[in-house]
Amino acid sequence: MKKLVILGFGGLGRTVEDVVISAKLFDDIIFLDDNIIDKKVLGKCVEFKKFINNDTQFYPAFGNNNLRIEWMNMMRSNGAKIAKIIHPSAYIGRNTEIGEGCVILPNAVVNTTAVIKTGCIVNFGAVIDHDVVIEKGVHLCMNSTIKAHNRIPPFAKIEAGQTIFNNTFKREIQNE
């Protein structure tokens, strides 16, 4: 039985739950949250370690890009498997790379040869064109568009409906 543990019962966490249920990606979903009391919340975020096993994956559903990556690193260093969630209605082109901890929501487009690094959110209807690199921890909001030959810097947030035109972000990103 495949289980997903979502850290955070806020808007992103509940959105991920909805996508996972509609796409039938996991058999069971539980939440951990430090601030929200709900029957679905089974403990605090730091309690994630007790759920680690071969059949369980984790997703830190935090809208704060830096915090999401910090939690991914912490969970990974403790042996947790980080989920990659891709809704089946998303178009994923050939020769793309999508890192762990990414969420690709319904009707998003990831065109051929695009690279999406660790912990990114590609929201409903967002479009990533060919030859684009999305660095770690980026959030592309609903209906945003990244046109060809761009490299979006780490932890950026591209707002809803925003278009990044060809060759806007070309600077080299330092490897960490």
Side-chain angles (χ1 to χ4, degrees):
M1 181 154 116
K2 288 176 32 177
K3 179 183 289 189
L4 177 65
V5 177
I6 299 173
L7 278 68
F9 192 66
L12 178 57
R14 292 187 318 273
T15 297
V16 168
E17 175 193 35
D18 192 54
V19 166
V20 166
I21 289 170
S22 72
K24 299 179 179 150
L25 300 175
F26 289 87
D27 301 316
D28 190 25
I29 301 168
I30 65 165
F31 285 92
L32 301 175
D33 193 287
D34 293 348
N35 301 310
I36 297 175
I37 298 171
D38 187 278
K39 65 182 178 185
K40 290 184 179 182
V41 177
L42 299 184
K44 304 284 184 193
C45 292
V46 295
E47 297 176 66
F48 75 90
K49 294 175 195 173
K50 71 182 184 182
F51 296 97
I52 295 174
N53 64 53
N54 288 334
D55 296 323
T56 302
Q57 294 183 41
F58 296 79
Y59 182 74
F62 304 119
N64 178 306
N65 295 337
N66 293 72
L67 184 63
R68 189 170 58 256
I69 295 297
E70 286 174 21
W71 272 96
M72 281 181 57
N73 291 337
M74 182 186 345
M75 289 186 297
R76 190 182 315 108
S77 70
N78 280 279
K81 296 176 194 169
I82 309 300
K84 181 190 314 184
I85 298 167
I86 302 173
H87 192 273
S89 71
Y91 172 78
I92 309 297
R94 295 182 326 113
N95 302 314
T96 60
E97 294 177 34
I98 300 173
E100 74 174 345
C102 287
V103 172
I104 314 293
L105 295 176
N107 300 316
V109 173
V110 181
N111 210 343
T112 188
T113 65
V115 175
I116 304 173
K117 298 201 178 168
T118 303
C120 293
I121 300 168
V122 181
N123 218 316
F124 295 88
V127 176
I128 300 170
D129 203 0
H130 64 85
D131 302 306
V132 168
V133 176
I134 307 293
E135 292 291 340
K136 72 178 179 182
V138 170
H139 181 176
L140 303 179
C141 294
M142 295 173 286
N143 297 314
S144 59
T145 301
I146 311 298
K147 293 182 76 177
H149 305 289
N150 275 295
R151 185 178 204 112
I152 304 302
F155 308 110
K157 184 174 185 181
I158 308 300
E159 288 297 340
Q162 185 176 358
T163 298
I164 304 298
F165 293 98
N166 290 13
N167 301 305
T168 301
F169 289 97
K170 290 294 285 182
R171 71 179 183 87
E172 291 299 314
I173 306 298
Q174 300 298 318
N175 289 330
E176 296 178 356

